[in-house]
Amino acid sequence: MSSLLTPDARAALSRREFVKRSGALVVAFSAARFATDLGLAPGSVSAQGINGVGSPNLDSWIAVGADGRVTAYTGKCELGTGLYTAQLQLVAEELSVPIDRVTLIQCDTSMTPDQGTTSGAQSHPSNFNHANLALACATAREAFVQMASKRLGVPIEQLAAADGAVAVRGDPSRRVPYGDLLGGNTFNLQLNPKARRKPASEWTVLGTSVPRVDFPAIATGRFEYVHNVRVPGMLHGRVVRPPAIGATLVQVDEGSVQGMPGLVKVVVRKNFVGVVADKPWQAEQAARRLKVEWTAGTPLPDQRTFHQHLRSQTATRDALSVDSGDVDTMLAGAATVLRSTYMHPYQMHASVGTACAVADVQGTRATIWSATQAVWPLRNTAATLLGLKPQEVRIIFRMGSGCYGVNGADTVSYDAALLSQAVGRPVRVSLSRRDEMSWENYGPAYIIEQRVGLDPGGTIVAWDYEGWSLSLGGRPGYNAPGNVVSGRLAGFQPQGVQPRSPAPAPTGALDNGSNTVPSYCTGAIGGSSRGTGTVRSERVLSHVVLSPFFTGPLRSPARLQNTFAHESFMDEIAAAVKADPVEYRLRHLRDPRLREVVTAAAAKAGWDRRPSPRNGNGSRRSGVAAGRGMACVLYEGDNGYCALVAEVEVNLSTGLVTVRRSVAAMDCGPVSNPDGARNQMEGGIIHGISRALREEVTWSGDRVTSVDWRTYRPWFLGDPVPVIETVLVNRPDAEAMGAGETTVTVTAAAIGNAIFDATGARVRQSPFTPERVKAALEART
Amino acid sequence: MSVIRLTVNGRAHTVDVDPTTPLLYVLSDDLELRGPKFGCGLGQCGACTVILKGEAVRSCSIPVQSVAGTEITTLEGLGSPENPHPIQQSFIDGQAMQCGFCISGVIMTAKALLDRTPNATEAQIRQALANVLCRCGANLRMIAAIKRYQQQRQAGVPSARTERAGAGERRTA
Ligand code: FES
Ligand code: FES
């Protein structure tokens, strides 16, 4: 299996060659044919969404060889979350073949369908419901049953597919293997939207904890990450980034590196500077030695007052997610009005491995081995960057270090492509830690102000949200290479912010993709109420301003920041009316599935029903106070339910917070792989703890100062981790939802609420560093 | 450039490189080994860890010339996918990783510690891993996998690998 997982990059097989070698049937399948299949002129750039355009042709997804081996093609890739194994399970289950007879080819623009981007917890919903890979497998299985019906002269009702063959029910001797049925041919069928998925009650492979097929190779150092791709004649590149934000190139003194051993070329394109050498160490030394003159940078706003600065911007792009029109009236008439402001920092992806890519650009052909989440979009933007046509570019996905969103994978793919084009030979680029951390697309800072009106009984009658965040660049998509630093340096503009005020009235149905709307609101727009709560008077107004730093999706983008504000504020409201935080949440939630995860997490945690803060806490003698907090979310408004209880201890003299226990309940529809889902939930919690307690991009003057693991310190393996307990609410007959980003979304709020429960101190700025906690403790009245 | 002899995973190699090249670069680029990874190049994350004379060492931060002639063990030197070392098996059994990019640092650091201190307490294990980073947050499973391996060792579960290690060396030398 491992050899299939890590096909030798040097071979750079075309689909045709691959299929030949793997014993499956040959499918003539050039990139041009693909474009025609998709109804696109070759090279045309369509405005595909996050999930690409897929393919209506069964042969684009599934090939079955005469030997019965199945090759499946997917446009959703393994990012470390277990998706590769889960997709193998899906194919094995839905096609009724043993899992070891399935080969899965992921994300290669010359072989796999365009499924856009693997992100936003969209892979599970996209490939595990009634479209794409799942539908292809169901279509293929039904096609086999029909072929067998003809072959055996038996009506399809009397046939069943199992173990890679179709057999007569009750007479297993009358059986035809798939390989015989198809005889090494293509299906020549379209995906059948009516093809029936196997009911979850019949699953034997999907829904079980199949171990990750890539772990044996990974644990023994055999797995081919993008960092391990080696191509004959490959050189090594190193980039030279500007020293400060806004600095532009004045001149490069090539003489400063003349005669350095192994140096092949100094490459300059607009503000992009890099060197290419025979060996990585030579490239690194040359990059260090190269004399480059830059203009001064642009002074950055003072970090200490950054959120106020953000709050005071006037050139904003405004959006109303929901507006019932009566919020001001309701607040004016409310028995009580509460208000609070929450602040979230810029944070970074901070992958363990810096980004790396290999590019081979020679004339009008380019191949890039990349850990991008988006092979098809990258194909287009790399073509733009290189002045080629998209069909002249091939992107081959190779897994990188876990990315958690747009880390440096696209950035470094451009770096490698630019350097390779300049020397006409394959070039590998691996970023330095400082270059990666100084210039990556950070998750943006937020400041969020909220008000609620309460009736005399303490029930919320109006909720007003106003939030400010920042944006610059982002995912390059199909046409914006300037959205990441290397593309911008090479002369392409990043997507900025087009001011728009006032915001247009919301139309259509609620789109809560960024979780701007609190769970407790009805989300009523134009007669439909797609929110999960009961509060009818609701206004959610967001402002986006231009960011001084590149920004981009970081695990639970915007959802985490918004949920931190909503769920912390909800806790404040419950405390103000002396209600139990769980009971108070349930009082305002109407979505039964969200209510159920809240109840399930509370039950598992042994939640003691009482208002926060805990009485007589802060045992002065031990100097440590303990408390518990809850937070919940329906991720993206429709993509995974989660509730989490955190139990913390707060050191009252140092302000240090330790999370002791964390209990999470999740409902993401049918669970494809329970252990894999748990692994994601646990990882999300640790990631969430790291971000809630420690992580903050820092800067000073005109440059970023969090540039290594000392200045940007996530949770290391020696740091204390809580006991984690997970509850999976399995809903076999519901739609599949995202599972990878739910717990990370609620962790900060649950911890903040637990700190309040323990101490009575509310920390409204994340991360909850000892200094901030101490300040909040001192501010208690 | 100078010719340097290295012994890696029981196999002798001769490389002609700048003697100040970090060991990691020689391992991953000249010898094309996939175990040790580049994480920071600053000695801060552990991704590049190898075992040298029983010590877990960050190969990004030592020049190759300083280890000439010393036996170097990388992650792939412990076991293979078909025949993993018990500590690797423990990580596989416990599904104790996600992207796995950090795994050299975790496994090699833990192995060196337990070779030296078989009865290390959990606090000692955490101390040894204090500067090893897993960004995917597989922390709990990793600590559990290390402890499971430790218990097996303590219980004297015979390790097929220890015997086979000699054979492996002969085969690849
Ligand atoms: S790469 Fe050596 S410690 Fe990070
Ligand atoms: S498993 Fe991804 S960094 Fe550890």
Side-chain angles (χ1 to χ4, degrees), chain A residues 227-248:
Chain A
H227 305 71
N228 305 115
V229 170
R230 298 291 180 273
V231 178
M234 185 178 91
L235 301 169
H236 293 267
R238 192 81 172 179
V239 295
V240 181
R241 298 281 195 239
I245 305 284
T248 55

PDB file of all heavy atoms in Angstrom, chain A residues 227-248:
ATOM      1  N   HIS A 227       8.336  17.426   0.549  1.00  0.00           N
ATOM      2  CA  HIS A 227       9.731  17.741   0.896  1.00  0.00           C
ATOM      3  C   HIS A 227      10.707  16.668   0.409  1.00  0.00           C
ATOM      4  O   HIS A 227      11.896  16.911   0.331  1.00  0.00           O
ATOM      5  CB  HIS A 227       9.859  17.879   2.414  1.00  0.00           C
ATOM      6  CG  HIS A 227       8.907  18.888   3.005  1.00  0.00           C
ATOM      7  ND1 HIS A 227       7.548  18.674   3.092  1.00  0.00           N
ATOM      8  CD2 HIS A 227       9.123  20.108   3.525  1.00  0.00           C
ATOM      9  CE1 HIS A 227       6.970  19.730   3.636  1.00  0.00           C
ATOM     10  NE2 HIS A 227       7.894  20.612   3.912  1.00  0.00           N
ATOM     11  N   ASN A 228      10.187  15.484   0.147  1.00  0.00           N
ATOM     12  CA  ASN A 228      11.056  14.383  -0.265  1.00  0.00           C
ATOM     13  C   ASN A 228      11.060  14.155  -1.773  1.00  0.00           C
ATOM     14  O   ASN A 228      11.709  13.233  -2.256  1.00  0.00           O
ATOM     15  CB  ASN A 228      10.618  13.082   0.437  1.00  0.00           C
ATOM     16  CG  ASN A 228      10.575  13.240   1.934  1.00  0.00           C
ATOM     17  OD1 ASN A 228       9.508  13.161   2.540  1.00  0.00           O
ATOM     18  ND2 ASN A 228      11.725  13.494   2.539  1.00  0.00           N
ATOM     19  N   VAL A 229      10.331  14.970  -2.498  1.00  0.00           N
ATOM     20  CA  VAL A 229      10.300  14.790  -3.954  1.00  0.00           C
ATOM     21  C   VAL A 229      11.675  15.141  -4.521  1.00  0.00           C
ATOM     22  O   VAL A 229      12.247  16.188  -4.210  1.00  0.00           O
ATOM     23  CB  VAL A 229       9.210  15.680  -4.593  1.00  0.00           C
ATOM     24  CG1 VAL A 229       9.339  15.695  -6.109  1.00  0.00           C
ATOM     25  CG2 VAL A 229       7.824  15.195  -4.176  1.00  0.00           C
ATOM     26  N   ARG A 230      12.218  14.238  -5.293  1.00  0.00           N
ATOM     27  CA  ARG A 230      13.522  14.461  -5.927  1.00  0.00           C
ATOM     28  C   ARG A 230      13.360  14.191  -7.420  1.00  0.00           C
ATOM     29  O   ARG A 230      12.811  13.177  -7.807  1.00  0.00           O
ATOM     30  CB  ARG A 230      14.586  13.511  -5.346  1.00  0.00           C
ATOM     31  CG  ARG A 230      14.840  13.696  -3.851  1.00  0.00           C
ATOM     32  CD  ARG A 230      15.529  15.017  -3.550  1.00  0.00           C
ATOM     33  NE  ARG A 230      15.784  15.227  -2.120  1.00  0.00           N
ATOM     34  CZ  ARG A 230      14.927  15.772  -1.269  1.00  0.00           C
ATOM     35  NH1 ARG A 230      13.740  16.163  -1.681  1.00  0.00           N
ATOM     36  NH2 ARG A 230      15.231  15.945   0.004  1.00  0.00           N
ATOM     37  N   VAL A 231      13.835  15.111  -8.232  1.00  0.00           N
ATOM     38  CA  VAL A 231      13.698  15.016  -9.673  1.00  0.00           C
ATOM     39  C   VAL A 231      15.099  15.048 -10.258  1.00  0.00           C
ATOM     40  O   VAL A 231      15.947  15.803  -9.770  1.00  0.00           O
ATOM     41  CB  VAL A 231      12.868  16.213 -10.203  1.00  0.00           C
ATOM     42  CG1 VAL A 231      12.736  16.172 -11.706  1.00  0.00           C
ATOM     43  CG2 VAL A 231      11.496  16.239  -9.555  1.00  0.00           C
ATOM     44  N   PRO A 232      15.376  14.252 -11.282  1.00  0.00           N
ATOM     45  CA  PRO A 232      16.731  14.266 -11.845  1.00  0.00           C
ATOM     46  C   PRO A 232      17.120  15.671 -12.295  1.00  0.00           C
ATOM     47  O   PRO A 232      16.313  16.386 -12.882  1.00  0.00           O
ATOM     48  CB  PRO A 232      16.624  13.335 -13.059  1.00  0.00           C
ATOM     49  CG  PRO A 232      15.418  12.501 -12.813  1.00  0.00           C
ATOM     50  CD  PRO A 232      14.492  13.299 -11.954  1.00  0.00           C
ATOM     51  N   GLY A 233      18.329  16.044 -12.001  1.00  0.00           N
ATOM     52  CA  GLY A 233      18.820  17.355 -12.417  1.00  0.00           C
ATOM     53  C   GLY A 233      18.310  18.497 -11.555  1.00  0.00           C
ATOM     54  O   GLY A 233      18.444  19.669 -11.910  1.00  0.00           O
ATOM     55  N   MET A 234      17.724  18.139 -10.430  1.00  0.00           N
ATOM     56  CA  MET A 234      17.086  19.151  -9.590  1.00  0.00           C
ATOM     57  C   MET A 234      18.101  20.049  -8.890  1.00  0.00           C
ATOM     58  O   MET A 234      19.085  19.594  -8.339  1.00  0.00           O
ATOM     59  CB  MET A 234      16.239  18.425  -8.543  1.00  0.00           C
ATOM     60  CG  MET A 234      15.409  19.317  -7.657  1.00  0.00           C
ATOM     61  SD  MET A 234      14.430  18.303  -6.516  1.00  0.00           S
ATOM     62  CE  MET A 234      15.567  18.201  -5.136  1.00  0.00           C
ATOM     63  N   LEU A 235      17.819  21.352  -8.920  1.00  0.00           N
ATOM     64  CA  LEU A 235      18.636  22.327  -8.207  1.00  0.00           C
ATOM     65  C   LEU A 235      17.868  22.799  -6.973  1.00  0.00           C
ATOM     66  O   LEU A 235      16.716  22.428  -6.779  1.00  0.00           O
ATOM     67  CB  LEU A 235      18.937  23.515  -9.120  1.00  0.00           C
ATOM     68  CG  LEU A 235      19.681  23.174 -10.412  1.00  0.00           C
ATOM     69  CD1 LEU A 235      19.682  24.379 -11.357  1.00  0.00           C
ATOM     70  CD2 LEU A 235      21.117  22.715 -10.099  1.00  0.00           C
ATOM     71  N   HIS A 236      18.547  23.632  -6.164  1.00  0.00           N
ATOM     72  CA  HIS A 236      17.904  24.114  -4.941  1.00  0.00           C
ATOM     73  C   HIS A 236      17.841  25.633  -4.934  1.00  0.00           C
ATOM     74  O   HIS A 236      18.833  26.296  -5.238  1.00  0.00           O
ATOM     75  CB  HIS A 236      18.662  23.610  -3.719  1.00  0.00           C
ATOM     76  CG  HIS A 236      18.563  22.123  -3.578  1.00  0.00           C
ATOM     77  ND1 HIS A 236      17.598  21.514  -2.812  1.00  0.00           N
ATOM     78  CD2 HIS A 236      19.263  21.124  -4.162  1.00  0.00           C
ATOM     79  CE1 HIS A 236      17.720  20.192  -2.903  1.00  0.00           C
ATOM     80  NE2 HIS A 236      18.737  19.927  -3.725  1.00  0.00           N
ATOM     81  N   GLY A 237      16.677  26.126  -4.613  1.00  0.00           N
ATOM     82  CA  GLY A 237      16.486  27.578  -4.600  1.00  0.00           C
ATOM     83  C   GLY A 237      16.279  28.091  -3.193  1.00  0.00           C
ATOM     84  O   GLY A 237      15.918  27.342  -2.279  1.00  0.00           O
ATOM     85  N   ARG A 238      16.550  29.359  -3.048  1.00  0.00           N
ATOM     86  CA  ARG A 238      16.300  30.011  -1.765  1.00  0.00           C
ATOM     87  C   ARG A 238      15.798  31.410  -2.090  1.00  0.00           C
ATOM     88  O   ARG A 238      16.345  32.059  -2.995  1.00  0.00           O
ATOM     89  CB  ARG A 238      17.623  30.100  -0.986  1.00  0.00           C
ATOM     90  CG  ARG A 238      17.453  30.483   0.445  1.00  0.00           C
ATOM     91  CD  ARG A 238      17.054  29.276   1.266  1.00  0.00           C
ATOM     92  NE  ARG A 238      17.072  29.582   2.696  1.00  0.00           N
ATOM     93  CZ  ARG A 238      16.748  28.706   3.630  1.00  0.00           C
ATOM     94  NH1 ARG A 238      16.405  27.475   3.306  1.00  0.00           N
ATOM     95  NH2 ARG A 238      16.778  29.048   4.888  1.00  0.00           N
ATOM     96  N   VAL A 239      14.790  31.856  -1.390  1.00  0.00           N
ATOM     97  CA  VAL A 239      14.268  33.188  -1.689  1.00  0.00           C
ATOM     98  C   VAL A 239      14.850  34.209  -0.728  1.00  0.00           C
ATOM     99  O   VAL A 239      15.287  33.875   0.377  1.00  0.00           O
ATOM    100  CB  VAL A 239      12.729  33.224  -1.619  1.00  0.00           C
ATOM    101  CG1 VAL A 239      12.135  32.342  -2.702  1.00  0.00           C
ATOM    102  CG2 VAL A 239      12.232  32.802  -0.243  1.00  0.00           C
ATOM    103  N   VAL A 240      14.881  35.442  -1.194  1.00  0.00           N
ATOM    104  CA  VAL A 240      15.320  36.559  -0.354  1.00  0.00           C
ATOM    105  C   VAL A 240      14.135  37.514  -0.249  1.00  0.00           C
ATOM    106  O   VAL A 240      13.796  38.200  -1.209  1.00  0.00           O
ATOM    107  CB  VAL A 240      16.537  37.285  -0.967  1.00  0.00           C
ATOM    108  CG1 VAL A 240      16.976  38.427  -0.058  1.00  0.00           C
ATOM    109  CG2 VAL A 240      17.686  36.298  -1.187  1.00  0.00           C
ATOM    110  N   ARG A 241      13.474  37.486   0.893  1.00  0.00           N
ATOM    111  CA  ARG A 241      12.289  38.328   1.060  1.00  0.00           C
ATOM    112  C   ARG A 241      12.696  39.718   1.542  1.00  0.00           C
ATOM    113  O   ARG A 241      13.766  39.887   2.142  1.00  0.00           O
ATOM    114  CB  ARG A 241      11.367  37.709   2.105  1.00  0.00           C
ATOM    115  CG  ARG A 241      10.833  36.336   1.750  1.00  0.00           C
ATOM    116  CD  ARG A 241       9.665  36.409   0.774  1.00  0.00           C
ATOM    117  NE  ARG A 241       8.963  35.134   0.719  1.00  0.00           N
ATOM    118  CZ  ARG A 241       8.802  34.410  -0.378  1.00  0.00           C
ATOM    119  NH1 ARG A 241       9.316  34.809  -1.529  1.00  0.00           N
ATOM    120  NH2 ARG A 241       8.134  33.280  -0.338  1.00  0.00           N
ATOM    121  N   PRO A 242      11.816  40.683   1.315  1.00  0.00           N
ATOM    122  CA  PRO A 242      12.103  42.021   1.843  1.00  0.00           C
ATOM    123  C   PRO A 242      12.214  41.961   3.375  1.00  0.00           C
ATOM    124  O   PRO A 242      11.609  41.097   4.004  1.00  0.00           O
ATOM    125  CB  PRO A 242      10.872  42.844   1.437  1.00  0.00           C
ATOM    126  CG  PRO A 242      10.158  42.031   0.409  1.00  0.00           C
ATOM    127  CD  PRO A 242      10.527  40.613   0.631  1.00  0.00           C
ATOM    128  N   PRO A 243      12.971  42.889   3.947  1.00  0.00           N
ATOM    129  CA  PRO A 243      13.152  42.873   5.392  1.00  0.00           C
ATOM    130  C   PRO A 243      11.948  43.423   6.151  1.00  0.00           C
ATOM    131  O   PRO A 243      11.831  43.224   7.355  1.00  0.00           O
ATOM    132  CB  PRO A 243      14.368  43.777   5.608  1.00  0.00           C
ATOM    133  CG  PRO A 243      14.361  44.701   4.434  1.00  0.00           C
ATOM    134  CD  PRO A 243      13.778  43.930   3.290  1.00  0.00           C
ATOM    135  N   ALA A 244      11.079  44.153   5.457  1.00  0.00           N
ATOM    136  CA  ALA A 244       9.981  44.823   6.156  1.00  0.00           C
ATOM    137  C   ALA A 244       8.741  44.856   5.283  1.00  0.00           C
ATOM    138  O   ALA A 244       8.825  44.747   4.052  1.00  0.00           O
ATOM    139  CB  ALA A 244      10.393  46.246   6.510  1.00  0.00           C
ATOM    140  N   ILE A 245       7.594  45.027   5.934  1.00  0.00           N
ATOM    141  CA  ILE A 245       6.331  45.161   5.211  1.00  0.00           C
ATOM    142  C   ILE A 245       6.400  46.422   4.349  1.00  0.00           C
ATOM    143  O   ILE A 245       6.785  47.494   4.834  1.00  0.00           O
ATOM    144  CB  ILE A 245       5.164  45.329   6.215  1.00  0.00           C
ATOM    145  CG1 ILE A 245       5.140  44.188   7.236  1.00  0.00           C
ATOM    146  CG2 ILE A 245       3.831  45.498   5.482  1.00  0.00           C
ATOM    147  CD1 ILE A 245       4.626  42.887   6.761  1.00  0.00           C
ATOM    148  N   GLY A 246       6.068  46.287   3.098  1.00  0.00           N
ATOM    149  CA  GLY A 246       6.021  47.467   2.233  1.00  0.00           C
ATOM    150  C   GLY A 246       7.347  47.826   1.585  1.00  0.00           C
ATOM    151  O   GLY A 246       7.398  48.721   0.731  1.00  0.00           O
ATOM    152  N   ALA A 247       8.430  47.158   1.968  1.00  0.00           N
ATOM    153  CA  ALA A 247       9.724  47.464   1.355  1.00  0.00           C
ATOM    154  C   ALA A 247       9.740  46.955  -0.083  1.00  0.00           C
ATOM    155  O   ALA A 247       9.254  45.876  -0.368  1.00  0.00           O
ATOM    156  CB  ALA A 247      10.850  46.824   2.156  1.00  0.00           C
ATOM    157  N   THR A 248      10.301  47.759  -0.984  1.00  0.00           N
ATOM    158  CA  THR A 248      10.413  47.309  -2.370  1.00  0.00           C
ATOM    159  C   THR A 248      11.881  47.320  -2.784  1.00  0.00           C
ATOM    160  O   THR A 248      12.718  47.969  -2.160  1.00  0.00           O
ATOM    161  CB  THR A 248       9.601  48.208  -3.325  1.00  0.00           C
ATOM    162  OG1 THR A 248      10.029  49.557  -3.131  1.00  0.00           O
ATOM    163  CG2 THR A 248       8.117  48.101  -3.049  1.00  0.00           C
TER     164      THR A 248
END
